[in-house]
Amino acid sequence: MVDIATRVHNHNWKIDPIVRSLIDTDFYKLLMCQSIFRNKPDTTVVFSLINRSKSVRLGDLIDEGELREQLDHVRSLSLSRGESTWLRGNTFYGKRQMFRPDFMEWFEGLRLPPYHLEKRDGQYELTFEGKWPEVMLWEIPALAVLMELRSRAVLRGMGKFELQVLYARAMARLWEKIERLRGIEGLKIADFGTRRRHSFLWQDWCVQAMQEGLGSAFTGTSNCRIAMKRDIEAIGTNAHELPMVYSALTTNDADLAQAPYQVLADWHEEHDGNLRIMLPDTYGTEGFLKNAPDWLSTWTGIRIDSGDPARGAETAIRWWQEKGEDPLKKLVIFSDGLDVAKIEELHRQFAGRVKVSFGWGTMLTNDFRGLAGERLAPFSLVCKAVSANGRPTVKLSDNPNKAMGPAEEVARYKRVFGVADQVAQDLLV
Amino acid sequence: MVDIATRVHNHNWKIDPIVRSLIDTDFYKLLMCQSIFRNKPDTTVVFSLINRSKSVRLGDLIDEGELREQLDHVRSLSLSRGESTWLRGNTFYGKRQMFRPDFMEWFEGLRLPPYHLEKRDGQYELTFEGKWPEVMLWEIPALAVLMELRSRAVLRGMGKFELQVLYARAMARLWEKIERLRGIEGLKIADFGTRRRHSFLWQDWCVQAMQEGLGSAFTGTSNCRIAMKRDIEAIGTNAHELPMVYSALTTNDADLAQAPYQVLADWHEEHDGNLRIMLPDTYGTEGFLKNAPDWLSTWTGIRIDSGDPARGAETAIRWWQEKGEDPLKKLVIFSDGLDVAKIEELHRQFAGRVKVSFGWGTMLTNDFRGLAGERLAPFSLVCKAVSANGRPTVKLSDNPNKAMGPAEEVARYKRVFGVADQVAQDLLV
């Protein structure tokens, strides 16, 4: 039986806007947003979309009108009543009222600020400028829009059954991964794949497949909308933008050297337990740990997001041991460039030495490699804070291929944070 | 949006009865039915379901109540107005009014006759007794019901995503086959997979995938309901039951020796062109051709349904050449145990020497081997005429593993038809 109302509704493209909710975003964006709203509400920032995969010519693939239509749609979104109720009433990381009433009131009134879009050399230059708490919420929707418009552009030419088989193959591939993951005893893994997902519907499918296939080994999703819809845990803590902006706001080297710890001092005040996860690689993990204040060694764990992950984890373990902490009580979250083989390897190496957890991103929600030639293969798109109150931001990370910022500032940061030569790692995504 | 009416309807199991129409059957059953209705309407026959794969214990897998419910549902079916209009008005094999008004009038009033069902030794004994034109229409629905109830029994324990991935894998597998078939220049292939399909919905999917994937190389389906629904050609000519029953009705060896030709003489009167396809293997292809009347060499082609198919086709080619016929104008239809490799091989060997066509059955509509262990692998189920007017039927075929009938009658038939030693071929399906 045809549901006429649904069909008529479907005639409109709005049946599947790419971003369908303000909380179709990563949970840690909301945690950070609240922190910024509290600590640095008046900071003016510029966020910019950067396609590290120059060979993927988004400007040629994606129609500018369609892109504007999707971005305008994102600007039309506001928090629904149900979403607000969920954020206010749900338990996150075992805690009620994670989001404070003043933040929620502000968020309920929020619309995303304007965007600036230009096409240059086959790429889009997409930037967002304004108050930090508002602009930062563009990151995930902007990435999701670009990623999915690219998918749609490639899918457009396919036949109905060709399409169905494409998804059939992607499903079979993911299920094989899940079957391998099932073999890892004590596995804990979450979906971190919102930002570079193939599409919303596909991410939603992947999350459900993980739920059914892994049971309690699947600990949740970073995507708030999907967490709410599927009644599972929303997962995430904090990201590089905090130390990047805090650092850019400093005016001398001494303050700069302390900025990453100031971020965590603010976080320390706000959060406890499993939310006390440090992300040490913004300006080099080794220097960060060497100069870290003692109270940081009491934190619950660490997230390893660049460089050789095994080396990063070993560094953290040594550091905890030096500080008299028991690594067995510490959590190491791996979240960079994971796929099943790497997950197996890291789990083998660290299970039983620390608590291990995985945030699986692109290869969970966008592994279409080889399924339409390489036309649907994931690519490396990021959306980053590039300046704060007019001063440029810098990121070094543990992989020089992920470094960002003006050359002279990169050099200064390297000096201040004592970063020596680093090993370059290929960027798959 | 939920279509409440559909959902409420779906609460009822009748959302997906296994057989949903009297024309959810092979086209050749209707052609043969009309021929029988004209030539042998009062013959009493018994049809019996035979599971050649004893290891598949249908009696344990399938609930008797469910089986009866599905069979009773088949008995409740009658020709719908649209189906009747299609049969009366559609063009089959380029011909209008393939089905004569007197036959259509009878068919419009038809309900299938009762069945007899017993469970013995882990198997069902399912038989149908009555007038030949009525009983013979049970063959395909009975097979489809048993096949699909077995599928459903295996699928019942699976999770939602496990199920989706199962079908995803089956889809990807079929599509790979279709991509290989695309590489065969001049291919002509039809769906003959109704009788041993995994399910109705799956057959319908396979047919549509063949349509999109192969274009004009896909010549149609044997399934009338799907041909009507998808607006494609209904394909099929005649089967072993005609010579088997005609032969059983004879009372001496001389008449028996002529019975298979009498079948084709009746057929010759009714049909021309691409419907004049002989099926020579019921009592051995070599003897059949050796003793065939000259007029049979003017027929359009031959269907090879048992034994080594290449040997059968070579025998036919030699026979046409002896009769002064040009094999290039003759059609050879391969329809036994085909899968892609065999299709490629036979096409390579015979394209350019005869017109080649394929009737692809079980490995098109039921290749679930290895997808749920072997619990969904196809198996060899047939439903055959076992007696006519109280006399047993016999089938020899070109493969002794497909032989049927009482031993002493098999011996007599071998003598009458001059069948010597045969090469046994494994029965996959």
Side-chain angles (χ1 to χ4, degrees), chain B residues 34 203-204 230 282:
Chain B
Q34 172 169 255
Q203 183 185 16
D204 192 31
R230 302 297 167 197
T282 314

Side-chain angles (χ1 to χ4, degrees), chain B residues 351-407:
Chain B
R353 299 174 60 202
V354 289
K355 295 186 208 165
V356 180
S357 178
F358 297 92
W360 193 15
T362 311
M363 288 298 138
L364 167 59
T365 61
N366 200 358
D367 188 359
F368 283 70
R369 291 172 299 173
L371 295 184
E374 291 306 322
R375 291 177 302 139
L376 283 176
F379 60 103
S380 190
L381 193 69
V382 294
C383 182
K384 292 285 184 190
V386 293
S387 74
N389 288 351
R391 302 170 59 85
T393 65
V394 169
K395 184 184 173 192
L396 301 177
S397 104
D398 288 330
N399 180 356
N401 288 339
K402 281 186 168 183
M404 291 177 39

